[in-house]
Amino acid sequence: MTQTSQPRREFHSGRGKKTFDRIPGGFYLVGALVILFEVVMLGAVGLALAVGDPSDDGASPDKEPRRVEVTYIATGDHPSVNLTVGEADGNHKPLGVVILPYRKTVEMAAGDDFYLDVRSREDQEGGTLTCTVLVGGKVVQQDHSTPASSSATCSGSTADAPQRGIPVPTLTPGVSPLPEERRLTGSVKVPDYPGKGSPVIGTVTDSSLEYAELGGTWDRSKSQDPISDGFTRKQEGRQRALVKSTQVDEDIMAAAGGTGELRGVAGAVMDERRRYEYPRDQAILVDVASQPLRVDGHDAWLLVSEIHFHKRGVPSTMDLNAVLVVDTGRVRPSVLWVVLPETNKKLWPDLNTLVASVQVP
């Protein structure tokens, strides 16, 4: 009997099947996308590391802010002013007393704030003051004082647009510089100032002193309130000329060391007159004479000084000041103070007349 042959069946174990044959086809696409994503991310990180952080402190010089030239200018009819410069955010620097005209150029970052305040000194109010700020040589701001305000202030940004039609101020030469301070330590006699001087029309009696009353361009001598004026007698002459007398007060005696040494007292009186009668920090003493005297049998000391100064509205820039201190036998000495302006030198011989006339009644 013939047997029909059957197809032979093959049997395979799982071990014999290839690994990729067991992965569904869709997973190939997912894997490829994951690999592509990782490549892109690694490239981005590498680029960031190569470029660096723009805010990093180690930025290249090309990233630094652009610099501009800023020029501060202060002008006016005052010989000197109080000046403050700086930034409008409050970082201001007072420069103190500055001689006009003033000009200074600094470098600032583009967009920074500027600030300039020109203010009259307390003893020279009024007049005209102007502040001007230039950026890159062009006026970006200018301000003027008004009758109601003794100051001019310029504040803004270096990025402000230039103002058309405003010229850069012309800086005329400022006031002549003041001389150096000079105080005598030895004895130097007072000069005999030439000239006729003023006539003598009478005698003034005050504070244990008698001295000549002057005529001509001088007003009559008048009594004063020592509390408000500091002196008990005053005679005024033309162009701020003065003759005053009183008893030296306790504060000046203390400033002189309290010993009553006449030379020291005369110097303390002169320093006080400079402090109260002349522009603060802008009055220079130059001694021309310092000598002991005998006045009617009493010890005395004469100090003569030039006080150089600049004051708005005052034509004189130097006054001849004389202080004569006399020991009258009282607890405190008496003093005669004389002021003769340089603009009226024909009165300078009056100093010799007054000193020679002093008596102790």
Side-chain angles (χ1 to χ4, degrees), residues 58-94:
S60 65
D62 295 338
K63 300 297 182 180
E64 292 181 359
R66 183 172 63 89
R67 309 291 290 180
V68 294
E69 282 193 347
V70 178
T71 301
Y72 295 114
I73 299 177
T75 53
D77 61 0
H78 291 226
S80 60
V81 294
N82 289 310
L83 202 67
T84 301
V85 300
E87 299 176 355
D89 61 3
N91 185 23
H92 303 159
K93 180 181 179 182

PDB file of all heavy atoms in Angstrom, residues 58-94:
ATOM      1  N   GLY A  58      32.615  89.226  32.520  1.00  0.00           N
ATOM      2  CA  GLY A  58      33.753  89.144  31.628  1.00  0.00           C
ATOM      3  C   GLY A  58      33.414  89.505  30.208  1.00  0.00           C
ATOM      4  O   GLY A  58      34.049  89.018  29.273  1.00  0.00           O
ATOM      5  N   ALA A  59      32.394  90.355  30.016  1.00  0.00           N
ATOM      6  CA  ALA A  59      31.993  90.754  28.665  1.00  0.00           C
ATOM      7  C   ALA A  59      33.147  91.452  27.968  1.00  0.00           C
ATOM      8  O   ALA A  59      33.972  92.109  28.591  1.00  0.00           O
ATOM      9  CB  ALA A  59      30.774  91.668  28.717  1.00  0.00           C
ATOM     10  N   SER A  60      33.188  91.358  26.702  1.00  0.00           N
ATOM     11  CA  SER A  60      34.267  91.958  25.930  1.00  0.00           C
ATOM     12  C   SER A  60      34.141  93.474  25.953  1.00  0.00           C
ATOM     13  O   SER A  60      33.067  94.025  26.195  1.00  0.00           O
ATOM     14  CB  SER A  60      34.201  91.458  24.492  1.00  0.00           C
ATOM     15  OG  SER A  60      33.006  91.900  23.871  1.00  0.00           O
ATOM     16  N   PRO A  61      35.261  94.191  25.703  1.00  0.00           N
ATOM     17  CA  PRO A  61      35.212  95.657  25.715  1.00  0.00           C
ATOM     18  C   PRO A  61      34.184  96.224  24.750  1.00  0.00           C
ATOM     19  O   PRO A  61      33.674  97.315  24.947  1.00  0.00           O
ATOM     20  CB  PRO A  61      36.644  96.049  25.325  1.00  0.00           C
ATOM     21  CG  PRO A  61      37.484  94.871  25.723  1.00  0.00           C
ATOM     22  CD  PRO A  61      36.599  93.673  25.503  1.00  0.00           C
ATOM     23  N   ASP A  62      33.867  95.501  23.691  1.00  0.00           N
ATOM     24  CA  ASP A  62      32.893  95.997  22.721  1.00  0.00           C
ATOM     25  C   ASP A  62      31.518  96.160  23.332  1.00  0.00           C
ATOM     26  O   ASP A  62      30.679  96.893  22.812  1.00  0.00           O
ATOM     27  CB  ASP A  62      32.824  95.044  21.528  1.00  0.00           C
ATOM     28  CG  ASP A  62      34.135  95.014  20.748  1.00  0.00           C
ATOM     29  OD1 ASP A  62      34.904  95.998  20.876  1.00  0.00           O
ATOM     30  OD2 ASP A  62      34.378  94.031  20.048  1.00  0.00           O
ATOM     31  N   LYS A  63      31.250  95.476  24.477  1.00  0.00           N
ATOM     32  CA  LYS A  63      29.941  95.539  25.107  1.00  0.00           C
ATOM     33  C   LYS A  63      29.844  96.649  26.147  1.00  0.00           C
ATOM     34  O   LYS A  63      28.802  96.868  26.731  1.00  0.00           O
ATOM     35  CB  LYS A  63      29.622  94.194  25.774  1.00  0.00           C
ATOM     36  CG  LYS A  63      29.583  93.004  24.804  1.00  0.00           C
ATOM     37  CD  LYS A  63      28.486  93.161  23.774  1.00  0.00           C
ATOM     38  CE  LYS A  63      28.418  91.959  22.857  1.00  0.00           C
ATOM     39  NZ  LYS A  63      27.357  92.091  21.845  1.00  0.00           N
ATOM     40  N   GLU A  64      30.963  97.378  26.450  1.00  0.00           N
ATOM     41  CA  GLU A  64      30.937  98.434  27.455  1.00  0.00           C
ATOM     42  C   GLU A  64      30.120  99.627  26.941  1.00  0.00           C
ATOM     43  O   GLU A  64      30.095  99.892  25.738  1.00  0.00           O
ATOM     44  CB  GLU A  64      32.360  98.884  27.788  1.00  0.00           C
ATOM     45  CG  GLU A  64      33.171  97.824  28.523  1.00  0.00           C
ATOM     46  CD  GLU A  64      34.564  98.318  28.859  1.00  0.00           C
ATOM     47  OE1 GLU A  64      34.874  99.474  28.495  1.00  0.00           O
ATOM     48  OE2 GLU A  64      35.321  97.561  29.479  1.00  0.00           O
ATOM     49  N   PRO A  65      29.467 100.392  27.886  1.00  0.00           N
ATOM     50  CA  PRO A  65      28.656 101.542  27.457  1.00  0.00           C
ATOM     51  C   PRO A  65      29.514 102.594  26.755  1.00  0.00           C
ATOM     52  O   PRO A  65      30.678 102.797  27.095  1.00  0.00           O
ATOM     53  CB  PRO A  65      28.084 102.088  28.773  1.00  0.00           C
ATOM     54  CG  PRO A  65      28.200 100.959  29.746  1.00  0.00           C
ATOM     55  CD  PRO A  65      29.397 100.176  29.333  1.00  0.00           C
ATOM     56  N   ARG A  66      28.927 103.259  25.803  1.00  0.00           N
ATOM     57  CA  ARG A  66      29.621 104.339  25.102  1.00  0.00           C
ATOM     58  C   ARG A  66      29.854 105.507  26.054  1.00  0.00           C
ATOM     59  O   ARG A  66      29.014 105.824  26.890  1.00  0.00           O
ATOM     60  CB  ARG A  66      28.770 104.791  23.912  1.00  0.00           C
ATOM     61  CG  ARG A  66      29.437 105.868  23.048  1.00  0.00           C
ATOM     62  CD  ARG A  66      28.609 106.103  21.799  1.00  0.00           C
ATOM     63  NE  ARG A  66      27.291 106.604  22.137  1.00  0.00           N
ATOM     64  CZ  ARG A  66      26.994 107.896  22.275  1.00  0.00           C
ATOM     65  NH1 ARG A  66      27.934 108.816  22.124  1.00  0.00           N
ATOM     66  NH2 ARG A  66      25.756 108.267  22.564  1.00  0.00           N
ATOM     67  N   ARG A  67      31.023 106.163  25.970  1.00  0.00           N
ATOM     68  CA  ARG A  67      31.368 107.289  26.827  1.00  0.00           C
ATOM     69  C   ARG A  67      31.182 108.603  26.072  1.00  0.00           C
ATOM     70  O   ARG A  67      31.400 108.673  24.846  1.00  0.00           O
ATOM     71  CB  ARG A  67      32.820 107.188  27.304  1.00  0.00           C
ATOM     72  CG  ARG A  67      33.205 105.853  27.916  1.00  0.00           C
ATOM     73  CD  ARG A  67      32.533 105.621  29.245  1.00  0.00           C
ATOM     74  NE  ARG A  67      33.062 106.499  30.279  1.00  0.00           N
ATOM     75  CZ  ARG A  67      32.640 106.499  31.546  1.00  0.00           C
ATOM     76  NH1 ARG A  67      31.645 105.669  31.908  1.00  0.00           N
ATOM     77  NH2 ARG A  67      33.158 107.298  32.441  1.00  0.00           N
ATOM     78  N   VAL A  68      30.767 109.642  26.803  1.00  0.00           N
ATOM     79  CA  VAL A  68      30.588 110.965  26.202  1.00  0.00           C
ATOM     80  C   VAL A  68      31.269 112.002  27.084  1.00  0.00           C
ATOM     81  O   VAL A  68      31.456 111.797  28.283  1.00  0.00           O
ATOM     82  CB  VAL A  68      29.091 111.314  26.036  1.00  0.00           C
ATOM     83  CG1 VAL A  68      28.433 110.404  25.032  1.00  0.00           C
ATOM     84  CG2 VAL A  68      28.368 111.260  27.387  1.00  0.00           C
ATOM     85  N   GLU A  69      31.641 113.134  26.491  1.00  0.00           N
ATOM     86  CA  GLU A  69      32.238 114.243  27.236  1.00  0.00           C
ATOM     87  C   GLU A  69      31.140 115.178  27.735  1.00  0.00           C
ATOM     88  O   GLU A  69      30.305 115.631  26.948  1.00  0.00           O
ATOM     89  CB  GLU A  69      33.225 115.014  26.358  1.00  0.00           C
ATOM     90  CG  GLU A  69      34.565 114.336  26.197  1.00  0.00           C
ATOM     91  CD  GLU A  69      35.609 115.268  25.591  1.00  0.00           C
ATOM     92  OE1 GLU A  69      35.207 116.352  25.085  1.00  0.00           O
ATOM     93  OE2 GLU A  69      36.803 114.923  25.628  1.00  0.00           O
ATOM     94  N   VAL A  70      31.157 115.450  29.036  1.00  0.00           N
ATOM     95  CA  VAL A  70      30.179 116.351  29.657  1.00  0.00           C
ATOM     96  C   VAL A  70      30.952 117.533  30.246  1.00  0.00           C
ATOM     97  O   VAL A  70      31.905 117.342  31.003  1.00  0.00           O
ATOM     98  CB  VAL A  70      29.381 115.635  30.760  1.00  0.00           C
ATOM     99  CG1 VAL A  70      28.412 116.604  31.423  1.00  0.00           C
ATOM    100  CG2 VAL A  70      28.633 114.445  30.174  1.00  0.00           C
ATOM    101  N   THR A  71      30.547 118.740  29.891  1.00  0.00           N
ATOM    102  CA  THR A  71      31.228 119.952  30.351  1.00  0.00           C
ATOM    103  C   THR A  71      30.284 120.772  31.228  1.00  0.00           C
ATOM    104  O   THR A  71      29.178 121.116  30.813  1.00  0.00           O
ATOM    105  CB  THR A  71      31.699 120.816  29.170  1.00  0.00           C
ATOM    106  OG1 THR A  71      32.591 120.042  28.352  1.00  0.00           O
ATOM    107  CG2 THR A  71      32.434 122.049  29.663  1.00  0.00           C
ATOM    108  N   TYR A  72      30.733 121.059  32.453  1.00  0.00           N
ATOM    109  CA  TYR A  72      29.989 121.905  33.388  1.00  0.00           C
ATOM    110  C   TYR A  72      30.552 123.329  33.304  1.00  0.00           C
ATOM    111  O   TYR A  72      31.765 123.544  33.406  1.00  0.00           O
ATOM    112  CB  TYR A  72      30.135 121.402  34.823  1.00  0.00           C
ATOM    113  CG  TYR A  72      29.523 120.045  35.081  1.00  0.00           C
ATOM    114  CD1 TYR A  72      30.309 118.940  35.396  1.00  0.00           C
ATOM    115  CD2 TYR A  72      28.148 119.874  35.036  1.00  0.00           C
ATOM    116  CE1 TYR A  72      29.740 117.696  35.652  1.00  0.00           C
ATOM    117  CE2 TYR A  72      27.570 118.644  35.288  1.00  0.00           C
ATOM    118  CZ  TYR A  72      28.370 117.562  35.599  1.00  0.00           C
ATOM    119  OH  TYR A  72      27.806 116.339  35.853  1.00  0.00           O
ATOM    120  N   ILE A  73      29.663 124.319  33.163  1.00  0.00           N
ATOM    121  CA  ILE A  73      30.079 125.718  33.084  1.00  0.00           C
ATOM    122  C   ILE A  73      29.226 126.537  34.053  1.00  0.00           C
ATOM    123  O   ILE A  73      27.996 126.426  34.051  1.00  0.00           O
ATOM    124  CB  ILE A  73      29.936 126.280  31.655  1.00  0.00           C
ATOM    125  CG1 ILE A  73      30.819 125.496  30.678  1.00  0.00           C
ATOM    126  CG2 ILE A  73      30.304 127.759  31.618  1.00  0.00           C
ATOM    127  CD1 ILE A  73      30.665 125.939  29.246  1.00  0.00           C
ATOM    128  N   ALA A  74      29.884 127.360  34.865  1.00  0.00           N
ATOM    129  CA  ALA A  74      29.188 128.278  35.778  1.00  0.00           C
ATOM    130  C   ALA A  74      29.702 129.690  35.524  1.00  0.00           C
ATOM    131  O   ALA A  74      30.917 129.922  35.517  1.00  0.00           O
ATOM    132  CB  ALA A  74      29.424 127.885  37.226  1.00  0.00           C
ATOM    133  N   THR A  75      28.771 130.626  35.294  1.00  0.00           N
ATOM    134  CA  THR A  75      29.134 132.011  35.040  1.00  0.00           C
ATOM    135  C   THR A  75      28.207 132.927  35.834  1.00  0.00           C
ATOM    136  O   THR A  75      27.179 132.496  36.354  1.00  0.00           O
ATOM    137  CB  THR A  75      29.029 132.350  33.535  1.00  0.00           C
ATOM    138  OG1 THR A  75      27.709 131.984  33.078  1.00  0.00           O
ATOM    139  CG2 THR A  75      30.062 131.575  32.730  1.00  0.00           C
ATOM    140  N   GLY A  76      28.561 134.203  35.894  1.00  0.00           N
ATOM    141  CA  GLY A  76      27.725 135.174  36.597  1.00  0.00           C
ATOM    142  C   GLY A  76      28.513 136.401  36.986  1.00  0.00           C
ATOM    143  O   GLY A  76      29.714 136.514  36.706  1.00  0.00           O
ATOM    144  N   ASP A  77      27.825 137.348  37.653  1.00  0.00           N
ATOM    145  CA  ASP A  77      28.486 138.583  38.071  1.00  0.00           C
ATOM    146  C   ASP A  77      28.983 138.505  39.513  1.00  0.00           C
ATOM    147  O   ASP A  77      29.335 139.522  40.102  1.00  0.00           O
ATOM    148  CB  ASP A  77      27.553 139.784  37.887  1.00  0.00           C
ATOM    149  CG  ASP A  77      26.273 139.677  38.705  1.00  0.00           C
ATOM    150  OD1 ASP A  77      26.105 138.657  39.414  1.00  0.00           O
ATOM    151  OD2 ASP A  77      25.445 140.605  38.635  1.00  0.00           O
ATOM    152  N   HIS A  78      28.992 137.308  40.098  1.00  0.00           N
ATOM    153  CA  HIS A  78      29.549 137.126  41.428  1.00  0.00           C
ATOM    154  C   HIS A  78      31.032 136.765  41.313  1.00  0.00           C
ATOM    155  O   HIS A  78      31.419 136.015  40.407  1.00  0.00           O
ATOM    156  CB  HIS A  78      28.841 135.981  42.166  1.00  0.00           C
ATOM    157  CG  HIS A  78      27.427 136.298  42.525  1.00  0.00           C
ATOM    158  ND1 HIS A  78      26.900 136.033  43.768  1.00  0.00           N
ATOM    159  CD2 HIS A  78      26.414 136.854  41.820  1.00  0.00           C
ATOM    160  CE1 HIS A  78      25.630 136.406  43.805  1.00  0.00           C
ATOM    161  NE2 HIS A  78      25.321 136.901  42.630  1.00  0.00           N
ATOM    162  N   PRO A  79      31.860 137.248  42.209  1.00  0.00           N
ATOM    163  CA  PRO A  79      33.265 136.830  42.172  1.00  0.00           C
ATOM    164  C   PRO A  79      33.448 135.366  42.550  1.00  0.00           C
ATOM    165  O   PRO A  79      34.343 134.696  42.062  1.00  0.00           O
ATOM    166  CB  PRO A  79      33.954 137.755  43.182  1.00  0.00           C
ATOM    167  CG  PRO A  79      32.861 138.320  44.015  1.00  0.00           C
ATOM    168  CD  PRO A  79      31.612 138.297  43.212  1.00  0.00           C
ATOM    169  N   SER A  80      32.579 134.857  43.424  1.00  0.00           N
ATOM    170  CA  SER A  80      32.675 133.459  43.845  1.00  0.00           C
ATOM    171  C   SER A  80      31.282 132.948  44.208  1.00  0.00           C
ATOM    172  O   SER A  80      30.392 133.725  44.553  1.00  0.00           O
ATOM    173  CB  SER A  80      33.621 133.300  45.040  1.00  0.00           C
ATOM    174  OG  SER A  80      33.162 134.061  46.149  1.00  0.00           O
ATOM    175  N   VAL A  81      31.108 131.627  44.126  1.00  0.00           N
ATOM    176  CA  VAL A  81      29.808 131.004  44.397  1.00  0.00           C
ATOM    177  C   VAL A  81      30.028 129.688  45.132  1.00  0.00           C
ATOM    178  O   VAL A  81      31.145 129.180  45.220  1.00  0.00           O
ATOM    179  CB  VAL A  81      29.024 130.723  43.095  1.00  0.00           C
ATOM    180  CG1 VAL A  81      28.624 132.006  42.407  1.00  0.00           C
ATOM    181  CG2 VAL A  81      29.835 129.828  42.167  1.00  0.00           C
ATOM    182  N   ASN A  82      28.928 129.123  45.634  1.00  0.00           N
ATOM    183  CA  ASN A  82      28.936 127.754  46.143  1.00  0.00           C
ATOM    184  C   ASN A  82      28.511 126.837  45.002  1.00  0.00           C
ATOM    185  O   ASN A  82      27.460 127.051  44.388  1.00  0.00           O
ATOM    186  CB  ASN A  82      27.984 127.603  47.324  1.00  0.00           C
ATOM    187  CG  ASN A  82      28.501 128.294  48.571  1.00  0.00           C
ATOM    188  OD1 ASN A  82      29.645 128.100  48.966  1.00  0.00           O
ATOM    189  ND2 ASN A  82      27.672 129.117  49.199  1.00  0.00           N
ATOM    190  N   LEU A  83      29.315 125.813  44.720  1.00  0.00           N
ATOM    191  CA  LEU A  83      29.083 124.962  43.560  1.00  0.00           C
ATOM    192  C   LEU A  83      28.910 123.509  43.988  1.00  0.00           C
ATOM    193  O   LEU A  83      29.641 123.012  44.847  1.00  0.00           O
ATOM    194  CB  LEU A  83      30.258 125.078  42.594  1.00  0.00           C
ATOM    195  CG  LEU A  83      29.995 124.704  41.133  1.00  0.00           C
ATOM    196  CD1 LEU A  83      29.043 125.718  40.506  1.00  0.00           C
ATOM    197  CD2 LEU A  83      31.293 124.659  40.351  1.00  0.00           C
ATOM    198  N   THR A  84      27.921 122.835  43.368  1.00  0.00           N
ATOM    199  CA  THR A  84      27.696 121.412  43.590  1.00  0.00           C
ATOM    200  C   THR A  84      27.548 120.727  42.242  1.00  0.00           C
ATOM    201  O   THR A  84      26.788 121.191  41.393  1.00  0.00           O
ATOM    202  CB  THR A  84      26.426 121.164  44.430  1.00  0.00           C
ATOM    203  OG1 THR A  84      26.554 121.832  45.687  1.00  0.00           O
ATOM    204  CG2 THR A  84      26.231 119.669  44.681  1.00  0.00           C
ATOM    205  N   VAL A  85      28.277 119.643  42.033  1.00  0.00           N
ATOM    206  CA  VAL A  85      28.180 118.882  40.788  1.00  0.00           C
ATOM    207  C   VAL A  85      27.913 117.423  41.125  1.00  0.00           C
ATOM    208  O   VAL A  85      28.113 116.985  42.253  1.00  0.00           O
ATOM    209  CB  VAL A  85      29.463 118.989  39.943  1.00  0.00           C
ATOM    210  CG1 VAL A  85      29.749 120.415  39.560  1.00  0.00           C
ATOM    211  CG2 VAL A  85      30.648 118.390  40.690  1.00  0.00           C
ATOM    212  N   GLY A  86      27.438 116.660  40.142  1.00  0.00           N
ATOM    213  CA  GLY A  86      27.202 115.249  40.379  1.00  0.00           C
ATOM    214  C   GLY A  86      26.136 114.694  39.477  1.00  0.00           C
ATOM    215  O   GLY A  86      25.896 115.210  38.384  1.00  0.00           O
ATOM    216  N   GLU A  87      25.478 113.639  39.948  1.00  0.00           N
ATOM    217  CA  GLU A  87      24.443 112.970  39.188  1.00  0.00           C
ATOM    218  C   GLU A  87      23.082 113.285  39.787  1.00  0.00           C
ATOM    219  O   GLU A  87      22.954 113.484  40.995  1.00  0.00           O
ATOM    220  CB  GLU A  87      24.685 111.472  39.180  1.00  0.00           C
ATOM    221  CG  GLU A  87      26.020 111.081  38.537  1.00  0.00           C
ATOM    222  CD  GLU A  87      26.288 109.601  38.621  1.00  0.00           C
ATOM    223  OE1 GLU A  87      25.474 108.907  39.261  1.00  0.00           O
ATOM    224  OE2 GLU A  87      27.293 109.141  38.077  1.00  0.00           O
ATOM    225  N   ALA A  88      22.055 113.308  38.955  1.00  0.00           N
ATOM    226  CA  ALA A  88      20.723 113.700  39.406  1.00  0.00           C
ATOM    227  C   ALA A  88      20.084 112.659  40.320  1.00  0.00           C
ATOM    228  O   ALA A  88      19.027 112.909  40.884  1.00  0.00           O
ATOM    229  CB  ALA A  88      19.820 113.956  38.204  1.00  0.00           C
ATOM    230  N   ASP A  89      20.724 111.489  40.485  1.00  0.00           N
ATOM    231  CA  ASP A  89      20.150 110.479  41.373  1.00  0.00           C
ATOM    232  C   ASP A  89      20.491 110.735  42.831  1.00  0.00           C
ATOM    233  O   ASP A  89      20.167 109.924  43.705  1.00  0.00           O
ATOM    234  CB  ASP A  89      20.613 109.077  40.965  1.00  0.00           C
ATOM    235  CG  ASP A  89      22.117 108.903  41.052  1.00  0.00           C
ATOM    236  OD1 ASP A  89      22.795 109.865  41.481  1.00  0.00           O
ATOM    237  OD2 ASP A  89      22.614 107.830  40.707  1.00  0.00           O
ATOM    238  N   GLY A  90      21.161 111.848  43.108  1.00  0.00           N
ATOM    239  CA  GLY A  90      21.465 112.200  44.490  1.00  0.00           C
ATOM    240  C   GLY A  90      22.924 112.063  44.857  1.00  0.00           C
ATOM    241  O   GLY A  90      23.325 112.457  45.950  1.00  0.00           O
ATOM    242  N   ASN A  91      23.744 111.527  43.971  1.00  0.00           N
ATOM    243  CA  ASN A  91      25.164 111.383  44.243  1.00  0.00           C
ATOM    244  C   ASN A  91      25.869 112.687  43.888  1.00  0.00           C
ATOM    245  O   ASN A  91      26.584 112.781  42.896  1.00  0.00           O
ATOM    246  CB  ASN A  91      25.745 110.214  43.444  1.00  0.00           C
ATOM    247  CG  ASN A  91      27.196 109.947  43.786  1.00  0.00           C
ATOM    248  OD1 ASN A  91      27.657 110.318  44.866  1.00  0.00           O
ATOM    249  ND2 ASN A  91      27.913 109.309  42.877  1.00  0.00           N
ATOM    250  N   HIS A  92      25.648 113.707  44.722  1.00  0.00           N
ATOM    251  CA  HIS A  92      26.163 115.040  44.444  1.00  0.00           C
ATOM    252  C   HIS A  92      27.394 115.325  45.294  1.00  0.00           C
ATOM    253  O   HIS A  92      27.492 114.869  46.430  1.00  0.00           O
ATOM    254  CB  HIS A  92      25.098 116.103  44.718  1.00  0.00           C
ATOM    255  CG  HIS A  92      23.835 115.887  43.937  1.00  0.00           C
ATOM    256  ND1 HIS A  92      22.631 116.427  44.320  1.00  0.00           N
ATOM    257  CD2 HIS A  92      23.593 115.179  42.803  1.00  0.00           C
ATOM    258  CE1 HIS A  92      21.701 116.058  43.457  1.00  0.00           C
ATOM    259  NE2 HIS A  92      22.261 115.306  42.531  1.00  0.00           N
ATOM    260  N   LYS A  93      28.297 116.130  44.749  1.00  0.00           N
ATOM    261  CA  LYS A  93      29.535 116.464  45.446  1.00  0.00           C
ATOM    262  C   LYS A  93      29.654 117.976  45.581  1.00  0.00           C
ATOM    263  O   LYS A  93      29.915 118.668  44.610  1.00  0.00           O
ATOM    264  CB  LYS A  93      30.736 115.915  44.674  1.00  0.00           C
ATOM    265  CG  LYS A  93      32.076 116.217  45.346  1.00  0.00           C
ATOM    266  CD  LYS A  93      33.219 115.672  44.517  1.00  0.00           C
ATOM    267  CE  LYS A  93      34.560 115.996  45.166  1.00  0.00           C
ATOM    268  NZ  LYS A  93      35.691 115.505  44.329  1.00  0.00           N
ATOM    269  N   PRO A  94      29.479 118.523  46.797  1.00  0.00           N
ATOM    270  CA  PRO A  94      29.680 119.963  46.982  1.00  0.00           C
ATOM    271  C   PRO A  94      31.156 120.307  46.830  1.00  0.00           C
ATOM    272  O   PRO A  94      32.013 119.696  47.472  1.00  0.00           O
ATOM    273  CB  PRO A  94      29.192 120.202  48.420  1.00  0.00           C
ATOM    274  CG  PRO A  94      28.397 118.988  48.787  1.00  0.00           C
ATOM    275  CD  PRO A  94      28.995 117.859  48.019  1.00  0.00           C
TER     276      PRO A  94
END
